[in-house]
Amino acid sequence: RYWSLAFMDPFTDHAACVSRRTSGGAARTLWVAPPGWSADAPAGATPLRMPSNDLWLLGRVLVDGEADLPAVHALQDGLRIEAPAVSRPFVSVPDERDARAFVAFAAEALGRNPVPARDAALLARTASVGLVPGDRAAFDRLDAATRDAWTRRLPRLRDRLRRPEPRFETEVGAGWSAGADGIGNFGADHAYRAYIALNGLGALEREEAIYARTAVDADGRALDGARGYTLRVPPDLPAGAFWSLSMYRVEPDGRAFFVENPIGRYTVGDRTPGLVRDADGALTVRMRREPPADPAARANWLPAPEGPFALAWRVYEPGPALLARRYRLPGVIREA
């Protein structure tokens, strides 16, 4: 089955991704060491030397339906983290609208972890606006104009990050866009880093998964639950692990949510039971508010909400053609 363990530093870069793709399926012991740790890994363990003291470990395990849960739970129970009884807990995560708390939290995080060498010059400049590594009180020593600027600009910056810059996305099919090449390891592109942190926190590197999204049909018209649509998924979609197509209602502020529907179906994929494939192995997904009359079409129904909606197409272990953008995802076709 598909599984992955993504080790992320406080800057949301992937320090390591241990997965079926990178490591196969055999049992293993990982030895995770912080910066500057000089000891060698124990015999038989795979060393993972981390660039930071704080880490976020995000694990994903494929569940193939409700009947598969006992097997997945057994697998999860087999995962163990052994660590010395030493920790440095963070203070509570601040209200992002509270400028002082936000700056203090950022300063603490910067003080707990080595800052990448590429950002040394940038960090030297941030002291003038209160971002001093380890100094949670630096904000209080700022002049009134700078403190006021923090308070006024934080909400604006958050709203700005809700709207992606064109360079943050790449076109991967008719109406479909996916993350740029640097997703998961952002380098000096801190604007893209912040955009993903707000809108897709924890996104994997492209080699592990591709997340494509569309809110328009193949002709560029906005998707709306008042219409009917089809999407024909070809049998040769290059997904080494699995793929899924999810339906979201789009709120006025741009956020997207699953919506209750009569059959409790929010996504379809290569493992969805009961789907009817075409003669050539392709899968024609039907998207509309009301169930199709034809039984075969109804079996492939992905219920749409009232009003605007968006689709997310996730492909895990994407093949070389998809990674190189030689393979184009098919567009959504609006029914007459």
Side-chain angles (χ1 to χ4, degrees):
R1 72 176 68 245
Y2 175 82
W3 64 273
S4 64
L5 300 172
F7 294 80
M8 285 169 279
D9 68 16
F11 308 97
T12 66
D13 283 325
H14 283 66
C17 183
V18 182
S19 66
R20 189 184 81 157
R21 175 183 64 88
T22 62
S23 304
R28 68 191 62 248
T29 297
L30 306 175
W31 183 75
V32 185
W37 195 263
S38 58
D40 294 329
T46 300
L48 297 179
R49 295 186 179 274
M50 298 290 112
S52 57
N53 294 309
D54 294 313
L55 287 172
W56 181 27
L57 174 57
L58 180 55
R60 295 170 171 89
V61 181
L62 176 64
V63 182
D64 194 6
E66 188 172 353
D68 195 30
L69 283 172
V72 174
H73 290 162
L75 177 60
Q76 291 174 314
D77 291 342
L79 292 170
R80 297 196 311 276
I81 298 178
E82 299 175 359
V86 177
S87 64
R88 294 187 299 158
F90 263 116
V91 296
S92 58
V93 177
D95 183 336
E96 62 191 23
R97 295 164 295 185
D98 183 338
R100 183 185 184 282
F102 175 84
V103 173
F105 184 83
E108 179 184 358
L110 290 169
R112 291 166 61 103
N113 298 282
V115 176
R118 64 165 189 261
D119 294 329
L122 175 63
L123 187 63
R125 299 198 303 272
T126 64
S128 65
V129 292
L131 281 175
V132 181
D135 189 348
R136 292 181 51 84
F139 183 88
D140 297 329
R141 298 192 296 273
L142 295 173
D143 59 80
T146 305
R147 294 197 304 268
D148 179 65
W150 271 110
T151 300
R152 286 185 294 103
R153 294 187 180 187
L154 269 182
R156 288 191 226 159
L157 287 171
R158 192 179 192 282
D159 291 341
R160 176 181 167 187
L161 287 172
R162 283 288 183 197
R163 302 184 297 274
E165 297 179 22
R167 65 185 181 85
F168 291 171
E169 299 181 338
T170 55
E171 193 260 345
V172 292
W176 294 97
S177 61
D181 287 348
I183 192 169
N185 279 296
F186 302 93
D189 194 346
H190 300 307
Y192 186 38
R193 180 192 307 279
Y195 169 74
I196 294 297
L198 180 62
N199 298 285
L201 184 62
L204 291 166
E205 301 168 278
R206 292 183 73 247
E207 291 78 9
E208 194 68 29
I210 284 181
Y211 312 94
R213 184 182 185 277
T214 188
V216 299
D217 66 18
D219 295 317
R221 297 169 296 192
L223 300 176
D224 192 286
R227 313 283 309 206
Y229 302 88
T230 62
L231 175 66
R232 193 169 189 270
V233 184
D236 64 345
L237 180 68
F242 70 98
W243 64 265
S244 66
L245 181 74
S246 300
M247 169 75 68
Y248 298 93
R249 180 183 65 201
V250 179
E251 301 294 326
D253 64 0
R255 294 180 300 164
F257 299 97
F258 288 146
V259 180
E260 290 188 18
N261 60 77
I263 61 173
R265 178 182 282 177
Y266 309 98
T267 184
V268 296
D270 58 345
R271 295 166 183 262
T272 303
L275 299 179
V276 177
R277 292 189 175 271
D278 301 337
D280 63 354
L283 178 67
T284 300
V285 182
R286 310 282 178 163
M287 293 163 284
R288 55 190 303 171
R289 283 191 61 198
E290 302 300 326
D294 177 69
R298 189 163 60 249
N300 296 355
W301 179 39
L302 181 58
E306 182 178 359
F309 69 86
L311 297 168
W313 201 339
R314 297 174 174 89
V315 180
Y316 282 78
E317 294 184 12
L322 195 53
L323 288 172
R325 300 188 179 89
R326 297 192 305 270
Y327 185 98
R328 291 176 56 80
L329 296 176
V332 177
I333 305 301
R334 190 168 85 175
E335 297 175 342

